[in-house]
Amino acid sequence: MIVEWSEAALAEIATRYGPEARIWKLVSDSEGCGCAMNGVAALWLIEEPEQGDLQAESNVVEVWYEKRHEVFFDERMRVSYDPSKRAFKLASDGQIYSNRLRLEDRRATAAY
């Protein structure tokens, strides 16, 4: 799997989460969505990957994912940022996963 980040997306994650926001986990999150099989694409900011997570090729930041979620995503995807909508977008050549991609800080040190 390959996940490419646009310069605008990288700048925005640094602004929102700080320059140390370097490890992300791509998930198909079905928690709270009322769907058993279909989840919503999300990126979680994590401190470190879990045992068994796989690393995607990515520019600048690390992107990890669980093998069981691999089926929900294309081999090559892009994360971009639209400042007019203040929204991240996850897309591939074949589809748009989300025009309002949810980024969630899951680090233990995250301020609540």
Side-chain angles (χ1 to χ4, degrees):
M1 183 180 297
I2 301 167
V3 180
E4 300 168 341
W5 295 73
S6 71
E7 290 299 320
L10 292 169
E12 186 61 21
I13 63 166
T15 299
R16 288 187 189 189
Y17 301 103
E20 68 282 354
R22 311 301 267 166
I23 305 173
W24 293 87
K25 186 169 183 173
L26 177 64
V27 297
S28 179
D29 188 7
S30 59
E31 185 176 316
C33 77
C35 44
M37 291 300 292
N38 297 322
V40 176
L43 281 166
W44 295 346
L45 179 56
I46 58 174
E47 293 181 31
E48 61 185 38
E50 295 179 16
Q51 185 173 354
D53 283 353
L54 303 174
Q55 187 172 13
E57 288 184 42
S58 180
N59 56 326
V60 185
V61 298
E62 293 179 31
V63 177
W64 296 82
Y65 62 96
E66 295 177 30
K67 177 74 173 161
R68 66 188 175 102
H69 289 176
E70 190 173 40
V71 67
F72 299 115
F73 300 106
D74 286 341
E75 179 60 27
R76 180 180 294 269
M77 295 172 292
R78 297 173 302 282
V79 177
S80 58
Y81 179 72
D82 183 345
S84 68
K85 295 178 182 171
R86 298 190 58 189
F88 290 88
K89 176 180 178 179
L90 178 65
S92 68
D93 287 343
Q95 64 182 310
I96 297 172
Y97 294 92
S98 178
N99 280 320
R100 296 203 176 270
L101 180 65
R102 185 168 46 92
L103 277 66
E104 185 177 326
D105 195 340
R106 292 267 179 127
R107 298 174 293 181
T109 57
Y112 291 98

PDB file of all heavy atoms in Angstrom, residues 20 71 78 97:
ATOM      1  N   GLU A  20       5.582  16.791  15.832  1.00  0.00           N
ATOM      2  CA  GLU A  20       5.836  15.405  16.243  1.00  0.00           C
ATOM      3  C   GLU A  20       4.742  14.446  15.776  1.00  0.00           C
ATOM      4  O   GLU A  20       4.816  13.247  16.043  1.00  0.00           O
ATOM      5  CB  GLU A  20       6.001  15.319  17.770  1.00  0.00           C
ATOM      6  CG  GLU A  20       4.742  15.587  18.559  1.00  0.00           C
ATOM      7  CD  GLU A  20       4.360  17.071  18.703  1.00  0.00           C
ATOM      8  OE1 GLU A  20       5.125  17.961  18.291  1.00  0.00           O
ATOM      9  OE2 GLU A  20       3.266  17.337  19.205  1.00  0.00           O
ATOM     10  N   VAL A  71      -8.239  -4.845   2.665  1.00  0.00           N
ATOM     11  CA  VAL A  71      -9.235  -5.124   1.638  1.00  0.00           C
ATOM     12  C   VAL A  71     -10.106  -3.893   1.329  1.00  0.00           C
ATOM     13  O   VAL A  71     -10.661  -3.777   0.239  1.00  0.00           O
ATOM     14  CB  VAL A  71     -10.097  -6.343   2.034  1.00  0.00           C
ATOM     15  CG1 VAL A  71     -10.962  -6.038   3.232  1.00  0.00           C
ATOM     16  CG2 VAL A  71     -10.942  -6.815   0.879  1.00  0.00           C
ATOM     17  N   ARG A  78      -4.081   8.944  -1.950  1.00  0.00           N
ATOM     18  CA  ARG A  78      -3.551  10.282  -1.669  1.00  0.00           C
ATOM     19  C   ARG A  78      -4.346  10.943  -0.555  1.00  0.00           C
ATOM     20  O   ARG A  78      -5.578  10.838  -0.534  1.00  0.00           O
ATOM     21  CB  ARG A  78      -3.651  11.165  -2.916  1.00  0.00           C
ATOM     22  CG  ARG A  78      -2.829  10.675  -4.097  1.00  0.00           C
ATOM     23  CD  ARG A  78      -3.104  11.477  -5.355  1.00  0.00           C
ATOM     24  NE  ARG A  78      -4.508  11.461  -5.768  1.00  0.00           N
ATOM     25  CZ  ARG A  78      -5.102  10.457  -6.406  1.00  0.00           C
ATOM     26  NH1 ARG A  78      -4.431   9.370  -6.699  1.00  0.00           N
ATOM     27  NH2 ARG A  78      -6.373  10.534  -6.758  1.00  0.00           N
ATOM     28  N   TYR A  97     -12.586   8.096  -0.982  1.00  0.00           N
ATOM     29  CA  TYR A  97     -12.985   7.444   0.263  1.00  0.00           C
ATOM     30  C   TYR A  97     -13.707   8.413   1.177  1.00  0.00           C
ATOM     31  O   TYR A  97     -14.652   8.044   1.853  1.00  0.00           O
ATOM     32  CB  TYR A  97     -11.769   6.864   0.983  1.00  0.00           C
ATOM     33  CG  TYR A  97     -11.136   5.739   0.210  1.00  0.00           C
ATOM     34  CD1 TYR A  97     -10.104   5.971  -0.690  1.00  0.00           C
ATOM     35  CD2 TYR A  97     -11.589   4.439   0.361  1.00  0.00           C
ATOM     36  CE1 TYR A  97      -9.531   4.943  -1.411  1.00  0.00           C
ATOM     37  CE2 TYR A  97     -11.034   3.399  -0.352  1.00  0.00           C
ATOM     38  CZ  TYR A  97     -10.006   3.663  -1.247  1.00  0.00           C
ATOM     39  OH  TYR A  97      -9.468   2.651  -1.971  1.00  0.00           O
TER      40      TYR A  97
END
